[in-house]
Amino acid sequence: MTHKTVLILGANGRFGLAAAQAFSAAGWQVLAQVRRALAPDMPAGVRAVHAPLADTTALAGQAHGAAVVVYAANPIYTQWQHALPMARAGMDVAQRLGATFMLPGNVYNYGDAMPALLVEDTPERPSTDKGRIRCAIEADMAARAAQGLRSVVVRAGDFYGGGPGSWLDLVIAKSLREGKLVYPGPLDLPHAWAYLPDLARCFVALAEHEGLPATARFHFPGHTLSGRELLAAIEQAAGRGPLRRAGFPWWALRALAWMVPMWREIVKMSYLWRVPHALDGRHLAQAIGPLPATPLAEAMRAAIFKHG
């Protein structure tokens, strides 16, 4: 293996696959840790690694030579008590390899009182268990710098693209064929979105950056859109409009959250649609230059119609 080898943990997930595609396109040897066969859209030349995340010795052994570990694994949304142990296992693998540990972050850390513009030193005041777990993961990464771990967090808004499974395709554009769009919050508030192929290219650029501090934190701005702007972009991508628009039935989820665990977890995070937020990407641009920025209409077409 060359020095340009990356191990992607959870490579069949949406971000994992986007990362595998981006690193492969940039000439890296990609080792994809997966539980089953490689995803159909995995690039040619990617090598599957089937050691489980919990078996850090076997996983590090099969990934010998990897200089970067991209953590794209996630527990089931209703089982986030596993998130910290899983992330620690990923850090253990990176430390065994002497590799840089890279994590896609989110805005959970800032809680329901977050300011409208988030910068890297915005105080973290999580208001949910998921936010507190995210803070604990990043604190562990920083603490391990004393043990030699180099780490990078790239924080981003709501993921879309890279395959099905996002708010965009599961809720907002789910009924597009029937001429209907559903938006989960007020239409006039800005909300941060991250097109995964663009975010993944930022990971490649940072992995190739030789001057980063031992513990680096960046914000990826992506697309910040009000509800109206997002729905208009979907209509443009679909070549249709205006389409019928509806709100999300939060009242039903709240009423039945006691008996549906997934709905209970979704309701806890509903503030993300009521609190305006955007991420400041100036620090990231200073580090890697012009940021990957697929035009919004193109990103929407790929995400909705091609699962790109």
Side-chain angles (χ1 to χ4, degrees), residues 30-304:
V30 178
L31 307 179
Q33 187 264 339
V34 293
R35 289 179 293 174
R36 294 175 289 276
L38 293 174
D41 292 336
M42 197 67 73
V46 171
R47 181 161 70 82
V49 174
H50 292 292
L53 179 58
D55 192 347
T56 56
T57 300
L59 188 48
Q62 293 184 37
H64 178 72
V68 172
V69 172
V70 174
Y71 186 79
N74 264 316
I76 296 171
Y77 206 64
T78 55
Q79 299 177 10
W80 259 55
Q81 69 271 23
H82 301 304
L84 182 55
M86 288 173 60
R88 284 174 171 163
M91 292 178 228
D92 290 343
V93 172
Q95 287 186 278
R96 286 178 179 270
L97 293 169
T100 299
F101 183 77
M102 302 187 75
L103 174 77
N106 59 33
V107 301
Y108 293 4
N109 305 51
Y110 301 115
D112 57 12
M114 61 181 165
L117 184 63
L118 302 169
V119 297
E120 285 78 2
D121 60 357
T122 296
E124 297 183 2
R125 299 189 178 99
S127 55
T128 63
D129 289 341
K130 285 182 171 58
R132 286 183 280 273
I133 290 169
R134 275 287 180 170
C135 288
I137 290 171
E138 295 184 29
D140 202 340
M141 292 168 63
R144 291 189 187 213
Q147 304 167 14
L149 179 68
R150 301 184 64 83
S151 66
V152 178
V153 175
V154 185
R155 198 176 315 287
D158 252 320
F159 291 178
Y160 74 102
S166 70
W167 272 95
L168 184 66
D169 61 274
L170 292 179
V171 175
I172 297 172
K174 180 181 179 180
S175 300
L176 178 61
R177 294 183 184 277
E178 291 76 47
K180 178 182 175 182
L181 298 174
V182 174
Y183 193 72
L187 289 173
D188 58 340
L189 298 183
H191 185 88
W193 294 91
Y195 183 53
L196 287 185
D198 288 344
L199 177 62
R201 285 190 281 271
C202 289
F203 271 67
V204 176
L206 289 169
E208 295 176 345
H209 194 297
E210 297 182 352
L212 297 181
T215 302
R217 301 291 181 268
F218 297 97
H219 283 188
F220 173 73
H223 297 107
T224 300
L225 304 167
S226 70
R228 285 191 182 87
E229 290 170 332
L230 176 70
L231 299 185
I234 295 172
E235 290 173 340
Q236 179 183 1
R240 301 174 61 184
L243 301 175
R244 288 184 293 119
R245 300 180 178 185
F248 187 71
W250 287 110
W251 62 269
L253 268 69
R254 291 189 176 94
L256 297 175
W258 64 275
M259 60 182 296
V260 184
M262 178 60 81
W263 290 8
R264 182 167 59 247
E265 295 305 311
I266 291 172
V267 166
K268 289 178 183 177
M269 307 307 298
S270 62
Y271 74 88
L272 292 168
W273 300 100
R274 300 189 305 271
V275 179
H277 60 279
L279 293 109
D280 188 328
R282 286 178 293 180
H283 183 43
L284 179 59
Q286 289 170 359
I288 66 174
L291 302 182
T294 300
L296 179 60
E298 179 182 339
M300 286 292 161
R301 279 193 297 270
I304 297 172

